[in-house]
Amino acid sequence: MVTPDAEGRMPGPAPAVETRRLVKWYGGYPALRGIDLCVAPGEILALFGSNGAGKTTLLRILAGRVRPTAGTARVAGFEVGKGGDSARGAIGTLAHGHQLYETLTASENLAFAAAMLGLDRAGERIAQVLLRVGLKAAAGSSVRTLSSGMKRRLALAKLMLRECKVILLDEPYASLDLQATKLLEEFLMASKIGGAATILATHNLTMGFGVADRLAILRQGRLVFEGRRDETSLDAFRALFSLHGELGEVE
Ligand code: ATP
């Protein structure tokens, strides 16, 4: 018989992302106030919350870009901030800003990323992803000359360079047109089938709900809701979000 462990969790594949009592203070402000979160391989978690709820802070900690004040987080089998190149290779991010070098061309940006990741057959992969995101003709253009949507497509191409175990997306739909949005969703579905765990933070309830297996709401640094997508409807979730997710008075 399958029995839960001492903390009530059922056995299963090790989580790809796991945080325990994760806390982040910025000066005197608690941006995260004790986050316990698990995301399984092949699962997509959509994370919602008003401005300042702590979504970006959580994603930046998981990506190893910000140190937590207290608590633990493991991502793709590594304690955050301690996995070095192996962790960087396993974790793909699409963050605020584009994380691109403005003075380099589109293909130079990808070549640089491929070199940092130590990828084989880099030239071939770069040509493939540029074609896939519709930027073949812009391969030799300086990033600073690209539109914001084209930059976002290039950031997506960078993410597509290799298979990741964990994908962290911060407001991924920003600046994307319909075609690029479809491309992003195809990429997420293919990554899911490949076993990647994804956390997607967005203000777009419809898009996030549509792509997710699980939904979570952050409010003032606390997870105030977590549930399976197939156990609710978009309308019911919208109502729940306005009840629990809106900013309200900051404590
Ligand atoms: P948004 O939807 O507006 O992007 P968010 O949910 O991503 O918001 P965060 O960016 O994580 O929220 O911010 C959470 C809180 O932490 C906010 O009150 C913000 O002012 C604060 N904060 C974030 N980054 C810093 C920083 N570098 N220094 C000080 N305070 C910060």
Side-chain angles (χ1 to χ4, degrees):
M1 194 177 89
V2 181
T3 51
D5 68 11
E7 292 178 23
R9 289 175 308 194
M10 296 302 282
V17 178
E18 183 170 27
T19 74
R20 299 272 183 104
R21 300 184 188 90
L22 200 63
V23 171
K24 177 67 186 177
W25 285 78
Y26 286 117
Y29 185 77
L32 295 180
R33 307 184 193 204
I35 303 291
D36 292 306
L37 188 70
C38 278
V39 188
E43 188 175 40
I44 300 178
L45 174 80
L47 182 64
F48 303 95
S50 314
N51 292 138
K55 305 178 297 297
T56 298
T57 301
L58 177 59
L59 292 179
R60 295 189 76 198
I61 290 174
L62 298 178
R65 298 213 170 92
V66 168
R67 288 168 72 105
T69 308
T72 59
R74 284 184 73 77
V75 181
F78 301 97
E79 201 174 325
V80 286
K82 296 199 178 151
D85 288 345
S86 308
R88 268 190 288 281
I91 303 169
T93 60
L94 199 59
H96 278 307
H98 306 289
Q99 299 170 299
L100 299 169
Y101 296 97
E102 294 271 324
T103 53
L104 299 184
T105 66
S107 63
E108 284 167 349
N109 264 278
L110 296 180
F112 185 73
M116 294 300 286
L117 291 164
L119 298 183
D120 299 330
R121 300 182 295 108
E124 199 182 313
R125 289 180 198 226
I126 290 168
Q128 279 168 359
V129 293
L130 280 171
L131 186 66
R132 198 154 161 223
V133 302
L135 288 180
K136 188 173 166 223
S141 304
S142 256
V143 164
R144 65 165 172 257
T145 67
L146 303 180
S147 73
S148 61
M150 289 164 88
K151 287 180 189 174
R152 203 71 175 160
R153 282 178 181 237
L154 183 57
L156 182 57
K158 205 165 93 174
L159 187 60
M160 287 173 169
L161 276 174
R162 87 286 186 196
E163 283 183 12
C164 306
K165 288 195 172 144
V166 171
I167 300 173
L168 305 171
L169 308 168
D170 199 351
E171 206 51 78
Y173 301 109
S175 304
L176 292 186
D177 61 21
L178 278 177
Q179 190 194 28
T181 300
K182 190 161 173 276
L183 198 68
L184 170 65
E185 299 207 334
E186 283 167 6
F187 168 72
L188 291 183
M189 287 308 141
S191 303
K192 175 182 165 65
I193 291 165
T198 298
I199 302 181
L200 180 159
T202 182
H203 292 291
N204 190 325
L205 255 65
T206 309
M207 303 299 286
F209 185 93
V211 82
D213 300 301
R214 218 142 49 84
L215 311 162
I217 301 175
L218 257 184
R219 184 174 190 272
Q220 295 179 7
R222 290 194 180 92
L223 268 182
V224 292
F225 172 82
E226 243 195 289
R228 291 185 53 84
R229 199 271 310 255
D230 59 11
E231 288 174 356
T232 187
S233 66
L234 179 57
D235 284 346
F237 183 67
R238 227 184 259 291
L240 193 83
F241 182 76
S242 40
L243 198 64
H244 295 295
E246 305 288 3
L247 184 60
E249 278 301 302
V250 176
E251 291 160 22

